[in-house]
């Protein structure tokens, strides 16, 4: 069964900490995405990557960065966590013509205190 | 850029009743349309998609949706819901094959009551 795996289901971090959210896919997909999900706002795209070491900003990149050193792994980094970054974070992956196989992970619920 | 509006944030319904979850989109170009479902503590799963062809699209779990270009709508329907359909449903739109362009609605929480 193909999978997108997010390493943590729940995380609690302190304001100002550097936070890493990890995502791994086993489908050899080229594209990977990070979204945040907030009530009433749906999913908003933070960053995406269409190849190793490549990244593009989404709609809300401020306060975030990403890293893609290997094809299967896409990391979201909060350089200095703030309380307004408390949210559900969803990772997804797809092939380049990926409308038919856009696969999501189960999400990481991050609380910044 | 395209955008998606889900007209109802919450829809409560009794088991075995019909349901319609409404979605409108705005785009100046042709689009691809999707409905995703998110069960508690899970990621999103694709329910159905409209790419081209017949405007009535059938998906998994007995859901279907109708693409209406003149009304820019893509409403999701099921004739008889089950308790297990309780979940959050997201409408999404993409202008192209490269789905880094995909945009999601705010979601509709469907609650099916016994």
């Amino acid at each position: 069964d193909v999978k997108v795996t997010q390493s943590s289901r729940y995380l609690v971090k302190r304001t100002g900490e550097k936070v890493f959210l990890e995502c791994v896919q086993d489908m050899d997909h080229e594209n990977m995405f990070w979204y945040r999900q907030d009530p009433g706002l749906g999913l908003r795209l933070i960053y995406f990557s269409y190849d190793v070491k490549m990244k593009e900003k989404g709609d809300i990149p401020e306060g975030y960065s990403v890293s893609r050193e290997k094809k299967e792994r896409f990391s979201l980094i909060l350089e200095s966590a703030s309380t307004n970054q408390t949210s559900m974070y969803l990772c997804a992956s797809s092939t380049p013509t990926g409308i038919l196989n856009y696969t999501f992970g189960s999400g990481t619920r991050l609380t910044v205190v | 850029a395209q955008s998606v509006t889900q007209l109802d944030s919450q829809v409560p319904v009794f088991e075995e009743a019909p349901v319609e979850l409404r979605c409108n989109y705005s785009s100046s170009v042709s689009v691809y349309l999707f409905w995703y479902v998110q069960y508690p503590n899970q990621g999103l799963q694709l329910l159905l998609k409209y790419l081209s062809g017949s405007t009535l699209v059938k998906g998994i779990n007995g859901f279907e949706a109708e693409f209406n270009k003149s009304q820019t709508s893509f409403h999701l329907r099921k004739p008889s819901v089950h308790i297990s359909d309780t979940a959050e449903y997201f409408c999404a739109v993409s202008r192209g094959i490269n789905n880094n362009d995909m945009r999601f609605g705010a979601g509709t929480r469907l609650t099916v009551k016994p």
Side-chain angles (χ1 to χ4, degrees):
Chain A
D1 198 15
V2 294
K3 276 188 177 177
V4 175
T5 303
Q6 295 183 231
S7 55
S8 302
R9 183 79 183 99
Y10 298 96
L11 275 179
V12 180
K13 297 293 182 180
R14 294 192 181 279
T15 300
E17 275 194 77
K18 189 169 186 176
V19 181
F20 293 85
L21 303 184
E22 305 289 346
C23 175
V24 177
Q25 50 97 1
D26 64 1
M27 296 166 284
D28 201 35
H29 281 172
E30 288 81 1
N31 295 346
M32 295 188 75
F33 309 83
W34 275 106
Y35 288 88
R36 65 176 282 176
Q37 180 183 3
D38 299 289
L41 296 176
L43 277 71
R44 293 178 291 167
L45 182 63
I46 305 171
Y47 268 97
F48 64 96
S49 167
Y50 51 86
D51 202 352
V52 174
K53 297 191 184 295
M54 306 299 286
K55 61 184 179 183
E56 294 285 343
K57 293 180 180 179
D59 295 328
I60 52 163
E62 296 78 18
Y64 304 94
S65 63
V66 290
S67 172
R68 192 159 181 209
E69 297 296 319
K70 294 184 178 181
K71 189 176 186 179
E72 67 271 19
R73 185 180 296 271
F74 192 37
S75 303
L76 180 69
I77 304 159
L78 287 66
E79 294 288 342
S80 178
S82 63
T83 55
N84 63 13
Q85 293 178 307
T86 292
S87 185
M88 171 70 86
Y89 290 87
L90 291 171
C91 176
S93 72
S94 75
T95 60
T97 55
I99 284 180
L100 301 181
N101 46 22
Y102 204 76
T103 305
F104 281 88
S106 297
T108 296
R109 185 166 294 282
L110 173 67
T111 302
V112 183
V113 298
Chain B
Q2 70 279 24
S3 67
V4 180
T5 302
Q6 291 184 242
L7 298 163
D8 307 293
S9 60
Q10 298 187 57
V11 173
V13 64
F14 286 105
E15 192 173 20
E16 298 184 4
V19 71
E20 178 180 82
L21 306 184
R22 297 180 293 167
C23 173
N24 285 94
Y25 68 92
S26 63
S27 175
S28 58
V29 299
S30 297
V31 296
Y32 303 106
L33 295 157
F34 309 83
W35 276 98
Y36 285 85
V37 59
Q38 184 181 35
Y39 298 106
N41 300 314
Q42 295 186 26
L44 275 68
Q45 302 174 30
L46 181 66
L47 265 182
L48 50 79
K49 59 187 179 291
Y50 171 78
L51 303 181
S52 65
S54 172
T55 57
L56 183 62
V57 180
K58 294 190 183 297
I60 61 171
N61 300 341
F63 284 93
E64 63 180 31
E66 186 159 17
F67 170 57
N68 187 319
K69 188 175 182 179
S70 62
Q71 298 188 7
T72 59
S73 67
F74 190 56
H75 300 333
L76 181 71
R77 302 186 183 100
K78 186 169 182 177
S80 175
V81 293
H82 303 290
I83 298 287
S84 59
D85 292 323
T86 293
E88 186 136 23
Y89 292 78
F90 293 93
C91 183
V93 59
S94 176
R95 288 181 299 176
I97 294 291
N98 296 321
N99 53 4
N100 51 30
D101 190 54
M102 189 175 290
R103 295 297 183 269
F104 289 83
T108 297
R109 180 163 296 279
L110 174 65
T111 303
V112 181
K113 300 179 285 186

